[in-house]
Structures are given as C-alpha cells and as structure tokens.
Amino acid sequence: EVQLVESGGGLVQPGGSLRLSCAGSTFTFSSYWMSWVRQAPGKGLEWVANIKRDGSEKYYVDSVKGRFTISRDNTKNSLYLQMNSLRAEDTAMYYCVTTGGYWGQGTLVTVSS
Amino acid sequence: QAVVTQEPSLTVSPGGTVTLTCGSSTGAVTSGHYPYWFQQKPGQAPTTLIYDTSNKYSWTPARFSGSLLGGKAALTLSGAQPEDEAEYYCLLSYSGVGEVFGGGTKLTVL
C-alpha cells in the first residue's frame, strides 16, 4: 500500500520557521512530481508548491515566494518544505501529494503568538 | 495568478446525473491545463478521482468521468450515490507558473 507520511507541523510564533517532511513508501518516489497543498481551517484547498521528479524545476504560489522552499531527496523517498517568516495566514493543514494520485494525511501548522 | 472557478454548490437526486465544471480566468480550459478532480469528505484528506482531463485511477468509481465541455473542464457523476455527497475540487496547471485549485463545489445528494 502506498504511504505518504507528513511530519514537522506544530505551533510557531509569527516570523518563525518550520520544516515539513513527507516520507513516501511502496512506490517509485522519483517517478512523480510532488506537491505541497494546504487547507486553512474551514477553507478550500490551496496549491502551495511543486517540484519536478529530479528537483530541477520548482514552482510556488505567489503568497509564499521568497519565504518557502520545496526540496526533495529521492535517495530517501522524501519531500520537504522549509517555511520561513511564517504568518498567521499560513495556518493550515499541509498535505503532500503525488501526481500518481496519492495524498498524505497532513500535518497541522499553526502560526500564533 | 489565474483564478479557477467552480459552482459553489449543486444538488443531485440519488441515481441522477450531475456535471460539475471548472473554468479559468485566462480563457478556455484545454488538455494542456492537465485538469485534475478531487473529492473531499468532512474530516478526511482529499482523494484524487481524475487526472489529465479524463483518466481514472484504479480506485475511481466508474460512475465518475472527466471531460472538456464548452471551454471548461467537467466532472460528470452518473448514478449518484449517497456516499458521493462531498466537496469536489478541480486543479489546473499553468505552464511555467504553477497550479491553481478551484474554490470547490459542495455536492449534495438529496
């Protein structure tokens, strides 16, 4: 069974940083583009960033450009999201997603003083 | 970035047929936007139903189908079941820019 397991979420003060991780198993991780998608409480889905199979291309939603960095390590079947200068509006459940159709269960990020 | 539009809410009778649509502020939706469709039930992570306009996954119920219709991406549900009541999201890809979700359609089976 394909698994994606996110970790690294938590409570952080405005202006702080967090690094999210997503570990994939039982599928060929390096074959897929990977994305981070977030969902604020009671709101819809928002695409945050994605990364090409080999990491050579990365794209971001305008609201996180310059603050968030997506990366991957195919040798570890892992996806990352470094989040700096966090704001209250970044509060959300963060999901990692593959173009193969699989979603993780999410990790909650709360930005509050 | 582009704005992707969906019907806020739709209602379908059990056994009935309904079509959800997904439009783009930049113009007609084409296969080059690689439309995806997702289903999300309350308290659960989303699941992916359709990729690249009309392709299904092994877990996608046969009653769901994807297409392009009148300049939009479309998700058609034929033979609605009570368990299909959920929020549905589309996602469009914009080459060299990134991806954008629609605002979601709340589908009621009643």
Side-chain angles (χ1 to χ4, degrees):
Chain A
E1 180 186 352
V2 170
Q3 278 199 315
L4 291 170
V5 180
E6 300 95 337
S7 61
L11 175 63
V12 62
Q13 292 189 338
S17 298
L18 279 177
R19 188 191 194 213
L20 305 185
S21 299
C22 171
S25 62
T26 70
F27 71 103
T28 310
F29 188 85
S30 59
S31 297
Y32 298 102
W33 282 69
M34 298 292 299
S35 299
W36 287 100
V37 172
R38 66 185 179 183
Q39 187 169 36
K43 301 296 185 182
L45 300 176
E46 181 181 34
W47 175 83
V48 174
N50 65 1
I51 185 169
K52 195 175 181 179
R53 288 172 286 272
D54 62 359
S56 62
E57 294 180 35
K58 304 173 185 182
Y59 301 96
Y60 301 89
V61 67
D62 284 348
S63 60
V64 309
K65 283 180 182 175
R67 300 189 298 123
F68 290 10
T69 301
I70 188 171
S71 61
R72 66 191 296 164
D73 184 341
N74 288 339
T75 66
K76 296 181 179 179
N77 284 358
S78 291
L79 176 72
Y80 306 101
L81 186 68
Q82 178 66 44
M83 304 188 297
N84 298 329
S85 302
L86 283 161
R87 306 167 180 168
E89 54 264 36
D90 297 317
T91 293
M93 184 72 78
Y94 284 73
Y95 296 99
C96 75
V97 190
T98 84
T99 49
Y102 300 105
W103 290 69
Q105 286 303 301
T107 187
L108 183 62
V109 172
T110 303
V111 184
S112 174
S113 55
Chain B
Q1 282 173 316
V3 175
V4 176
T5 55
Q6 297 183 244
E7 297 86 2
S9 63
L10 290 170
T11 300
V12 62
S13 300
T17 296
V18 63
T19 297
L20 290 65
T21 68
C22 175
S24 173
S25 62
T26 62
V29 176
T30 70
S31 58
H33 289 98
Y34 305 101
Y36 276 71
W37 289 94
F38 307 89
Q39 179 191 66
Q40 187 177 32
K41 296 180 180 180
Q44 297 182 17
T47 59
T48 312
L49 293 175
I50 299 288
Y51 68 98
D52 293 353
T53 304
S54 58
N55 295 289
K56 301 180 185 182
Y57 294 93
S58 58
W59 55 80
T60 304
R63 59 186 179 274
F64 289 96
S65 62
S67 64
L68 295 176
L69 196 64
K72 296 182 178 182
L75 177 71
T76 299
L77 170 58
S78 303
Q81 301 296 310
E83 60 265 32
D84 299 327
E85 186 161 296
E87 193 86 22
Y88 291 84
Y89 295 93
C90 67
L91 177 72
L92 300 181
S93 177
Y94 294 85
S95 179
V97 176
E99 300 179 343
V100 182
F101 277 100
T105 296
K106 182 177 175 64
L107 182 66
T108 300
V109 180
L110 189 61

